[in-house]
Amino acid sequence: MAVELDVFVGNTTIMDEEVYQLWLDGYTVNDAVKVRMSSEVMEECEASPDVLLSDTMDQYRTFQMCERLLHSPPKLANQLLFQIPPHRQAMLIERYYAFDDVFVREVLGKKLSKGTKKDLDDVSSKTGVTLKSCRRQFDNFKRVFKVVEELKGPLVENIRQNFILSDKLARDYAAIVFFANNRFETGKRKLQYLTFQDFAFCAGQLINNWTVGAVDNMVEDMDVDLDKEFLQDLKELKILINDKDLLDQHKSLVCTALRGKTKVHTEMETNFKNLSRGLVNIAAKLTNTKDVRDFFIDLVEKFIEPCRSDRWTAADMRLYLTHYTNSAHLLDTFKYQVVWDRYMGVIKSCIFKMYHD
């Protein structure tokens, strides 16, 4: 009785990048074979369906055996089971931890818990990302969060060292961890126009300027938790809107500086007090956990939407906020310039990113 065996003997582990991506994307073996059969490369090779099926199954088995190592990337470099060149290891890790922006946008700011994971069926249907891929990406977010949660030192560097990711991907994961920890609201309808990269940029600004790590770079949770002392100090800024003389002086300085530089000067002057109250009240309420969560929705409702309704351009916004921030330094009785600059530096950067005219 004849027995046919598919046998391959070698040293370096053969990994097809296209098949690896199909595996990451959650394709079954049969669906992956169909995709490979339709590619021009396979037409040129004239590979039969049986050969492709055998090769795909073999590749999938290899990826599944490597997966436990990918959960702790440094182990991949130190293991002896698979002979994988360093550049190929880097590719495997980077792609395994890569994610779909449409998927992360749906879970950004939510608790990385079993409850959220149960909702991934709906997220998969909404985004078109396979359920298997959604689960991989979600588990990666949770794994990174747990590893770096209590580590001392800069968040991005901790992620890069523990997961051997590129700087860009490490920064994106830092944003995901930061949002998950602070539970920022990102799902409201008014925020749907913002992309993950918009939020990731804002997260970078908050991490670099408003966290404990912005002051002390060797404390636990330094880049994850907001600096409570700074948030408490922000309450002092209310003098800018509660003191009528200061409010009027601030308005006069800003509007005088803007005269002749914008087509919406009248609107800026008319709405100055409401806009200023909006920004200062956001600052004063950040000691409250719920108001921290509503930070982005507050920026949209109290500042961006009023400006958009008055047809401000992005250039108008930049000009206004620059003079609004700088003019506070000219107020003789205003004593909180350091706190003001730390606050407004982030506010300006976030609004510039979020204001799509």
Side-chain angles (χ1 to χ4, degrees), residues 60-210:
Y60 268 45
R61 277 193 293 268
T62 302
F63 300 145
Q64 286 160 3
M65 287 189 288
C66 283
E67 189 165 20
R68 63 181 178 81
L69 298 170
L70 289 166
H71 290 171
S72 183
K75 291 181 180 178
L76 191 63
N78 300 320
Q79 55 81 38
L80 300 175
L81 182 60
F82 302 102
Q83 301 300 309
I84 307 172
H87 75 279
R88 184 70 68 168
Q89 290 180 21
M91 180 276 294
L92 291 174
I93 295 167
E94 191 78 2
R95 288 202 185 182
Y96 188 79
Y97 284 91
F99 52 81
D100 295 289
D101 280 7
V102 289
F103 170 72
V104 72
R105 184 64 185 82
E106 291 298 316
V107 300
L108 189 66
K110 293 183 179 178
K111 194 172 182 180
L112 300 175
S113 64
K114 290 180 180 178
T116 304
K117 193 171 183 178
K118 287 179 182 177
D119 296 333
L120 293 185
D121 280 359
D122 295 334
V123 175
S124 174
S125 299
K126 182 177 179 179
T127 61
V129 178
T130 65
L131 181 58
K132 185 176 179 182
S133 183
C134 286
R135 286 174 175 161
R136 172 183 60 81
Q137 294 177 53
F138 182 84
D139 287 343
N140 286 345
F141 300 158
K142 191 172 181 179
R143 185 179 307 110
V144 172
F145 184 94
K146 288 200 166 189
V147 168
V148 302
E149 190 175 15
E150 302 298 334
L151 291 179
K152 293 183 179 181
L155 179 58
V156 173
E157 189 58 31
N158 285 337
I159 293 172
R160 195 162 44 213
Q161 288 185 0
N162 284 275
F163 292 91
I164 318 180
L165 302 180
S166 65
D167 182 71
K168 172 66 170 67
L169 192 54
R171 290 183 184 282
D172 284 346
Y173 267 91
I176 293 166
V177 169
F178 183 70
F179 268 72
N181 183 70
N182 291 286
R183 305 286 299 282
F184 289 108
E185 174 60 60
T186 66
K188 293 285 179 67
R189 184 177 58 82
K190 289 182 178 182
L191 298 176
Q192 289 304 304
Y193 77 97
L194 295 168
T195 67
F196 166 69
Q197 290 303 327
D198 290 334
F199 282 120
F201 172 85
C202 294
Q205 295 297 310
L206 289 161
I207 289 170
N208 291 334
N209 295 283
W210 286 8

Side-chain angles (χ1 to χ4, degrees), residues 229-275:
E229 187 175 335
F230 166 66
L231 299 184
Q232 195 66 39
D233 289 343
L234 288 176
K235 290 186 174 183
E236 304 293 347
L237 301 182
K238 289 205 76 172
I239 192 173
L240 279 174
I241 56 174
N242 289 341
D243 185 312
K244 187 178 183 303
D245 288 339
L246 268 184
L247 182 59
D248 289 340
Q249 285 178 48
H250 196 190
K251 176 181 177 180
S252 177
L253 287 168
V254 174
C255 294
T256 299
L258 290 171
R259 188 167 289 116
K261 296 179 180 178
T262 172
K263 294 179 180 178
V264 291
H265 182 272
T266 301
E267 290 83 354
M268 289 179 174
E269 190 167 23
T270 301
N271 292 328
F272 178 88
K273 291 184 179 180
N274 285 335
L275 294 176

Side-chain angles (χ1 to χ4, degrees), residues 270-307:
T270 301
N271 292 328
F272 178 88
K273 291 184 179 180
N274 285 335
L275 294 176
S276 190
R277 288 190 186 103
L279 291 180
V280 173
N281 281 328
I282 290 173
K285 294 194 301 180
L286 286 176
T287 50
N288 185 316
T289 302
K290 183 186 181 303
D291 288 304
V292 170
R293 291 179 183 176
D294 289 341
F295 175 70
F296 293 100
I297 195 73
D298 284 344
L299 278 184
V300 169
E301 289 182 346
K302 296 179 180 180
F303 195 84
I304 291 174
E305 282 187 342
C307 296

